[in-house]
Amino acid sequence: MASHKDLTDSEPTDSTAPLPTPTTQPGRDGLAALLARPARALVALDFDGTLAPIVPDPEQARAHPDALPALAELAPKVAAVAVVTGRPADVAVRYGGFAGVPGLEHLVVLGHYGAERWDAVSGEVTAPDPHPGVAAVRAELPGVLDAHHAATGTWTEDKGHALAVHTRRAADPQGTFDALRAPLTDLAARNGLIVEPGRMVLELRPPGMDKGVALSEYVRELGAESVLYAGDDLGDLPAYAAVEKLRTDGTPGLLVCSGSEEVTELSERADVVVNGPEGVVALLRAIAEQAG
């Protein structure tokens, strides 16, 4: 794995935290472009594991206590701040505390991998009708879990437009995850869905939309001239690929990994690795200070 300069959780998260030096030339170009013209830059961030610490019960996830002040400090200086998440948009807004925050009047939350959208300016969520396969999977899922002896502690999160099976609270989280991956992939395929693996979670959701598609579409809508994307999980890889494609096409970008020992794929491709949500907060504040 490449060496990265980290903003660790032993460092202060106030605005005096230094900016890390990206380890790749495209990353250095992306950061330089953002700082040179912040008013034309998009800052896009995952929620769980990036703005909010990972917790055993996802319903208890909340944004890091310093995340909102950092976002509110940065947002007026850039073209836009977007939260790109697999959660329903309204859930991310509620768990993040994003509504009604001074400085975040133009925040956008792209939920369900971009299928839903919440705009702070209106406070409304726009969303498509649920895929019919979701209802079929909802009906079949308990039987599939029972047939494969899902361990005690495995539980299902109904997201409305998707269903997620969590194994983090099982006695053997990784073993349970591995045992369920194939049967859940089969269940999803039979009903026209796909499986999105994550950090001790398997999400069954409709195809055709991912964080890369959502990010690319929003970059085009905004006309952003540079982009920063921060994430921590496998579902963020399409967004990484989108930024890499944008860079190839001439739009500078910076890839940030909210570091995790559970997922190495992102840290190996990132320009900057920080130590979880606290490190993300420190990075946002450092950028806000230098974007002046």
Side-chain angles (χ1 to χ4, degrees):
M1 183 186 304
S3 172
H4 295 269
K5 180 178 176 63
D6 289 3
L7 285 178
T8 68
D9 56 6
S10 64
E11 294 176 327
T13 58
D14 60 26
S15 60
T16 62
L19 267 175
T21 301
T23 58
T24 69
Q25 189 60 51
R28 291 190 286 274
D29 293 342
L31 180 58
L34 190 162
L35 295 176
R37 297 194 67 187
R40 302 301 305 165
L42 167 63
V43 174
L45 309 115
D46 170 46
F47 184 71
D48 292 281
T50 301
L51 289 176
I54 296 293
V55 293
D57 182 355
E59 293 182 357
Q60 301 304 314
R62 297 295 183 269
H64 186 283
D66 294 329
L68 285 177
L71 290 171
E73 181 182 357
L74 177 62
K77 300 179 179 182
V78 298
V81 171
V83 176
V84 189
T85 176
R87 287 188 182 269
D90 62 341
V91 172
V93 171
R94 188 165 68 252
Y95 290 3
F98 299 131
V101 177
L104 297 183
E105 293 87 355
H106 298 284
L107 178 74
V108 169
V109 176
L110 303 175
H112 276 310
Y113 302 91
E116 292 186 350
R117 175 167 169 165
W118 175 86
D119 288 89
V121 69
S122 67
E124 298 178 352
V125 174
T126 56
D129 293 332
H131 188 289
V134 175
V137 165
R138 185 179 290 116
E140 294 183 53
L141 185 57
V144 172
L145 294 177
D146 184 63
H148 289 84
H149 311 290
T152 300
T154 298
W155 69 284
T156 299
E157 178 186 6
D158 193 329
K159 297 184 175 184
H161 286 73
L163 294 116
V165 177
H166 296 264
T167 68
R168 185 174 295 277
R169 296 188 300 195
D172 179 5
Q174 187 63 55
T176 305
F177 177 96
D178 293 341
L180 289 176
R181 187 164 184 169
L184 293 186
T185 298
D186 179 66
L187 172 63
R190 286 191 283 106
N191 291 283
L193 304 182
I194 61 171
V195 167
E196 182 77 48
R199 293 168 67 176
M200 302 305 138
V201 60
L202 294 158
E203 183 166 324
L204 295 81
R205 64 178 182 85
M209 179 60 75
D210 59 36
K211 291 185 179 183
V213 174
L215 182 63
S216 297
E217 290 182 351
Y218 193 53
V219 167
R220 286 193 293 270
E221 174 188 330
L222 193 66
E225 295 179 2
S226 64
V227 59
L228 177 155
Y229 185 81
D232 76 305
D233 206 346
L234 295 174
D236 297 301
L237 288 173
Y240 268 41
V243 172
E244 290 165 347
K245 176 65 163 56
L246 286 166
R247 296 198 295 204
T248 299
D249 294 341
T251 299
L254 178 67
L255 292 171
V256 177
C257 175
S258 179
S260 167
E261 295 181 359
E262 294 176 357
V263 179
T264 60
E265 288 90 335
L266 269 74
S267 61
E268 291 167 353
R269 288 171 64 175
D271 306 306
V272 170
V273 177
V274 299
N275 195 4
E278 189 166 353
V280 172
V281 167
L283 176 63
L284 295 177
R285 285 183 160 170
I287 290 173
E289 180 178 284
Q290 294 208 23

